[in-house]
Amino acid sequence: FLIKNTDDFPLSVVVTGSNLFINLANSIVTVKRVKDSNGNTVSDAEINITQYVMNSESNNLIMLIYYNFYNATTGYYELKIQNHYGLQNLTSPQFLIVENYDLTPMLPFTVINSSNQLVSNTTINNNSFEVNLVPNVYGGILFNKLYDAINSDINCIFDLDLAIRIPRSDYVFGEIFLGLINNDSTNNISPTTFPKIGIKLSQSNAWTTLITDINTNTVLQTLRWGSDLIYYSKLKIFIKDGTYIITNIATGAVSQGFYNDFNELRFLISKNYPTTMGGGVLSVSVSNFKKL
C-alpha cells in the first residue's frame, strides 16, 4: 500500500482477489496513476507489467507482482487485470508511491484502563503483549495511543502479527476482539466494548477458529487445531480517508470497510464472555507503523 520510488530494486506487491490464476501469455496486467499525491484526479497512461507477474495454480486468490518502482511519479496507483477471456476485473484498492518515508516512532504499550481479570493475565513488552487464555477469565484492556498525534489525521499503515497456541485438550476460549478503538474523554471500557477496526477470533465448531473482520465478518484465516500447535497470522492494516483495508499476508484474504469519528488510535483487546473451559496463549505485536 505504500512504496518508495527512491528504492532502486524490485519490490513484491501481493494482489488478492478471486480467480487470479490466469493464462499470463494471453492476459494483460497494467498499473496506472489515478491521483497525484494530494488526491487530485489525473489520467496517466497505463503501464503494462504483465511480464513481472507470477501466479499460483494452487492458490488462485493471490497474484505476485515483482516490479521496480524506482523514479515512478508519486501519487496513487491502481492495478487492472484483463484475463485471457477478455474479462476485466474491478480495479484494485489504490496504493501510494512516495519519495521517502520513515517509520513513525510508536509509544510502548501501557494500560489506560481494564475490565475484570484479563489485564492480570497479560504480559506487556514494548509494542507487543502476550495474554494467557485461562478458564473463565474475560474482560478488556485499553492501551495507550499508538503515537503522539499532532492533529486528528489518523491515516496510517502497520503490521499486526498474531501467534496463538491452543492445547488440543483445552480448546474453548470464547471470543476475542482485537484492534483499534476511538479515544473518548473517560476511556471507559467493559467486556462488551469492541474495537471499531480490527479482528475477531471465534470458534465456528469445537476444532476450528475463524479470524474475521469485526465489521464485515469476512474470514481472513481459518485455524483448525492440531495437538499443542502454534498458529501464526500476519495482517497488514491500512487506514486512509475514512476507509480501511485488512490483508492477511499468509492467506491472501482481504477485507475492507469504512470508519468514522476517529480522533486518536488506541489499541484494545477484549474477551467478552467466560467459558467453562479455556486455555492457550495469544501473542500480539504491532510493527512497521507509518503515519501517512
Side-chain angles (χ1 to χ4, degrees), residues 118 121 130-138 163-176 201 203 209 225 228-229 231 271 273-283:
L118 195 64
N121 289 276
E130 187 173 271
V131 56
N132 293 311
L133 304 173
V134 295
N136 297 321
V137 167
Y138 69 105
I164 184 168
R165 175 184 177 273
I166 300 293
R168 188 180 181 91
S169 60
D170 219 8
Y171 52 79
V172 180
F173 58 81
E175 291 182 328
I176 300 172
L201 285 77
Q203 290 160 282
T209 287
W225 305 130
D228 294 345
L229 295 179
Y231 300 86
K271 186 172 182 288
Y273 65 86
T275 59
T276 56
M277 296 176 62
V281 176
L282 173 65
S283 299

Side-chain angles (χ1 to χ4, degrees), residues 164-199:
I164 184 168
R165 175 184 177 273
I166 300 293
R168 188 180 181 91
S169 60
D170 219 8
Y171 52 79
V172 180
F173 58 81
E175 291 182 328
I176 300 172
F177 296 84
L178 187 69
L180 302 168
I181 193 168
N182 193 30
N183 178 43
D184 61 34
S185 58
T186 60
N187 291 320
N188 289 330
I189 62 170
S190 72
T192 56
T193 302
F194 307 130
K196 296 184 68 173
I197 299 175
I199 60 171

Side-chain angles (χ1 to χ4, degrees), residues 144-284:
N144 66 300
K145 57 188 177 182
L146 294 179
Y147 59 89
D148 284 319
I150 299 175
N151 53 47
S152 60
D153 180 9
I154 55 89
N155 295 337
C156 63
I157 183 172
F158 62 92
D159 291 337
L160 178 63
D161 296 340
L162 310 179
I164 184 168
R165 175 184 177 273
I166 300 293
R168 188 180 181 91
S169 60
D170 219 8
Y171 52 79
V172 180
F173 58 81
E175 291 182 328
I176 300 172
F177 296 84
L178 187 69
L180 302 168
I181 193 168
N182 193 30
N183 178 43
D184 61 34
S185 58
T186 60
N187 291 320
N188 289 330
I189 62 170
S190 72
T192 56
T193 302
F194 307 130
K196 296 184 68 173
I197 299 175
I199 60 171
K200 176 177 71 172
L201 285 77
S202 59
Q203 290 160 282
S204 59
N205 58 54
W207 304 106
T208 304
T209 287
L210 301 179
I211 300 177
T212 60
D213 182 338
I214 289 173
N215 294 310
T216 66
N217 289 320
T218 301
V219 177
L220 297 166
Q221 192 166 356
T222 301
L223 307 178
R224 293 183 173 87
W225 305 130
S227 177
D228 294 345
L229 295 179
I230 299 178
Y231 300 86
Y232 298 95
S233 185
K234 184 177 182 64
L235 307 173
K236 278 193 175 294
I237 299 180
F238 179 74
I239 301 173
K240 181 67 174 173
D241 297 337
T243 65
Y244 71 87
I245 300 173
I246 304 176
T247 301
N248 189 314
I249 300 303
T251 66
V254 63
S255 183
Q256 53 189 318
F258 303 91
Y259 69 89
N260 54 55
D261 299 330
F262 262 128
N263 55 21
E264 287 186 348
L265 292 182
R266 297 183 183 273
F267 206 78
L268 172 76
I269 178 174
S270 62
K271 186 172 182 288
N272 74 329
Y273 65 86
T275 59
T276 56
M277 296 176 62
V281 176
L282 173 65
S283 299
V284 178

Side-chain angles (χ1 to χ4, degrees), residues 24-25 27-30 47-54:
L24 290 172
S27 302
I28 301 174
V29 181
T30 61
I47 303 171
N48 190 324
I49 58 171
T50 310
Q51 63 177 312
Y52 304 103
V53 173
M54 293 181 289

